[in-house]
């Protein structure tokens, strides 16, 4: 496995655009979170806003870049034909996919941690100026810490989800379209469907809506799923994508 990890790390860090994508993840997460914090204000102790969801709102945008990076980590090899060389040098296809997954999770977790921490600190300053209480977005608070750590886990799971879809689809544009479609389609459907029961069901099975429940720190009883249960839904999506992608990787020719 050491050889697999070294090879996959070398390929990912030398992949054109990897550095820019990682920087974009941080910039988008922080920038969108600060922008979201700047447009809300709180005139009382309970103004109805969840400061953690606002301060970490940028994750909803930067997840698209994480998905693109994950897809390109495997479809890029199919585009260049390097996958044949990879599978010739390392015939264990499951090991190749596992190594890609480990490298992606580690890299996404590191970059995601930087992005989430910077977002929380920057957004806290803005929210304080907008009338939120002094204890807003303190990482020493249990719920806020759970939201921050959960957001990093969320991005790592999105990376695994994208990798699995990329392994199954092989084509970069198609795989990116599938991943982003599955992420953003459910929220769009929830907005256009009037039936409460259908809205609740779509929320519960949506990888994005359910997964981002991990950021909630207020009004938890009103959520269709608890924060950790919601993250488990995204875990199921990522697991299914990886298993499906891994199976197709083993069954098909390169």
């Amino acid at each position: 496995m050491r050889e697999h990890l070294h090879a996959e790390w070398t390929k990912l860090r030398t992949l054109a655009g990897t550095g820019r994508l990682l920087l974009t993840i941080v910039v988008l997460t922080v920038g969108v979170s600060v922008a979201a914090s700047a447009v809300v204000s709180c005139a009382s102790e309970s103004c109805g806003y969840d400061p953690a969801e606002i301060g970490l709102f940028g994750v909803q945008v930067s997840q698209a870049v994480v998905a693109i990076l994950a897809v390109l980590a495997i479809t890029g090899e199919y585009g260049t034909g390097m996958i044949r060389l990879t599978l010739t040098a390392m015939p264990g296809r499951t090991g190749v996919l596992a190594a890609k997954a480990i490298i992606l999770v580690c890299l996404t977790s590191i970059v995601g941690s930087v992005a989430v921490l910077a977002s929380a600190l920057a957004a806290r300053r803005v929210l304080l100026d907008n009338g939120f209480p002094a204890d807003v977005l303190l990482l020493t608070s249990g719920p806020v810490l759970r939201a921050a750590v959960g957001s990093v886990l969320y991005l790592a799971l999105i990376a695994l989800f994208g990798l699995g879809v990329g392994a199954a689809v092989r084509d970069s544009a198609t795989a990116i379209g599938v991943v982003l479609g599955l992420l953003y389609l459910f929220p769009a459907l929830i907005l256009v469907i009037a039936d409460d029961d259908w809205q609740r069901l779509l929320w519960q099975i949506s990888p994005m809506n359910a997964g981002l429940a991990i950021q909630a720190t207020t009004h938890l009883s009103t959520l269709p799923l608890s924060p950790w249960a919601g993250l488990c839904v995204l875990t199921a999506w990522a697991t299914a994508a990886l298993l499906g992608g891994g199976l197709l990787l083993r069954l098909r020719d390169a």
Side-chain angles (χ1 to χ4, degrees), residues 51-124:
E53 289 183 338
I54 297 169
L56 299 174
F57 186 79
V59 171
Q60 296 190 32
V61 179
S62 64
Q63 65 175 337
V65 185
V66 173
I68 291 171
L69 175 65
V71 167
L72 293 178
I74 187 164
T75 58
E77 290 196 58
Y78 281 102
T80 61
M82 185 180 290
I83 190 67
R84 297 185 182 87
L85 179 60
T86 295
L87 298 181
T88 299
M90 296 177 290
R93 300 189 177 196
T94 301
V96 170
L97 187 62
K100 287 182 181 293
I102 292 171
I103 294 298
L104 273 172
V105 165
C106 291
L107 190 59
T108 304
S109 297
I110 293 171
V111 175
S113 296
V114 173
V116 166
L117 178 60
S119 294
L121 294 176
R124 182 174 188 273

Side-chain angles (χ1 to χ4, degrees), residues 18 48 74 84 105 122 131 180 198 221 230:
T18 296
I74 187 164
R84 297 185 182 87
V105 165
L180 297 185
W198 276 104
S221 61

Side-chain angles (χ1 to χ4, degrees), residues 187-199:
L189 289 176
I190 291 172
L191 291 176
V192 300
I193 293 177
D195 186 87
D196 292 340
D197 292 334
W198 276 104
Q199 285 183 343

